[in-house]
Amino acid sequence: MTFEEAHEAFITRHLEKRTGERRGRLERGHRHGESLFLSNVWWPLLGNLEHLHPEYEVLDWRGRSYFADFAWLPGHVKLLFEIKGFASHVRDMDRQSYCRELNRETFLHALGFHVVSFAYDDVEQRPELCMMLLRLVLNRYQPSSAPVSRAILAEKEIVRLAIRLAGPIRPKDVEHHFGMDHKTAVLMLK
């Protein structure tokens, strides 16, 4: 299936499920930037549009609808993707709009969403950069294709702990982090 066929089926499927303003928003809101993101970045990287929802509605703290360009919801993960043009998101933004934008992103984070923004210019002119960044984001949420041993997971967690401590790591640090005895912590560090 080509991207064009998949995209048409994707939009049709979502339009059929929606009514009222949610349907109207999809008809009006899914424009060039969003389609370009799918064709230049998402499709070449993943080859499908699974778990992706265009013009995804979230109510803000005031009960007002906010529509994210895309939501990726493959289960427990809640990622929102925004394609931001310079004019509408920077140049033409006043102080009040800027504050609302930051408050909205903080509120979404509190709801468990992670907002990932891409510049329209990068989507259009540097899609390989966007694909690399998207791959890094999605890899955090996708399981490894190869089985992973508990020892490797423990090593990775020790590395994360060392980075967080930003200094030398001691057996005592590993003991407290994992809730284990001193001898085991020393063996893990070796």
Side-chain angles (χ1 to χ4, degrees):
M1 179 181 290
T2 67
F3 167 74
E4 290 75 18
E5 294 167 335
H7 184 254
E8 185 176 332
F10 170 71
I11 294 300
T12 301
R13 185 174 66 252
H14 283 279
L15 282 171
E16 289 172 352
K17 294 179 183 178
R18 298 181 185 193
T19 60
E21 179 56 23
R22 292 183 69 235
R23 181 183 175 99
R25 181 61 188 226
L26 179 54
E27 291 169 338
R28 293 185 315 273
H30 190 77
R31 296 182 306 262
H32 179 71
E34 291 83 358
S35 296
L36 200 61
F37 172 74
L38 293 179
S39 67
N40 286 4
V41 179
W42 191 275
W43 186 263
L45 184 62
L46 298 171
N48 66 65
L49 303 173
E50 292 176 20
H51 309 295
L52 203 58
H53 302 268
E55 295 301 320
Y56 186 77
E57 182 181 26
V58 180
L59 295 179
D60 70 10
W61 65 95
R62 301 164 297 183
R64 295 181 183 165
S65 290
Y66 158 73
F67 289 88
D69 291 336
F70 297 101
W72 187 61
L73 307 170
H76 68 282
V77 177
K78 295 175 7 178
L79 291 179
L80 298 179
F81 293 98
E82 291 289 347
I83 315 311
K84 296 184 175 184
F86 180 78
S88 61
H89 286 92
V90 179
R91 188 188 66 207
D92 299 339
M93 189 176 277
D94 61 17
R95 286 181 166 297
Q96 192 175 30
S97 298
Y98 178 71
C99 290
R100 274 196 308 270
E101 177 82 7
L102 295 180
N103 291 337
R104 180 187 57 78
E105 287 187 8
T106 302
F107 181 75
L108 290 169
H109 185 76
L111 292 178
F113 289 98
H114 297 276
V115 179
V116 180
S117 299
F118 289 96
Y120 172 84
D121 291 347
D122 284 341
V123 169
E124 181 185 46
Q125 300 164 18
R126 292 172 289 282
E128 65 286 340
L129 171 64
C130 297
M131 282 191 283
M132 185 267 302
L133 294 171
L134 180 60
R135 183 180 296 115
L136 289 171
V137 169
L138 296 181
N139 279 344
R140 294 187 63 207
Y141 303 103
Q142 295 175 323
S144 172
S145 57
V148 178
S149 72
R150 287 181 12 199
I152 290 174
L153 289 175
E155 287 175 9
K156 288 182 177 185
E157 186 60 25
I158 289 172
V159 170
R160 273 194 278 278
L161 175 63
I163 291 169
R164 194 178 83 225
L165 294 175
I169 188 165
R170 305 168 300 170
K172 187 174 190 169
D173 300 321
V174 175
E175 289 174 41
H176 290 297
H177 184 71
F178 285 104
M180 63 177 49
D181 63 69
H182 181 75
K183 184 178 176 182
T184 306
V186 170
L187 285 173
M188 288 179 73
L189 284 173
K190 286 184 179 179

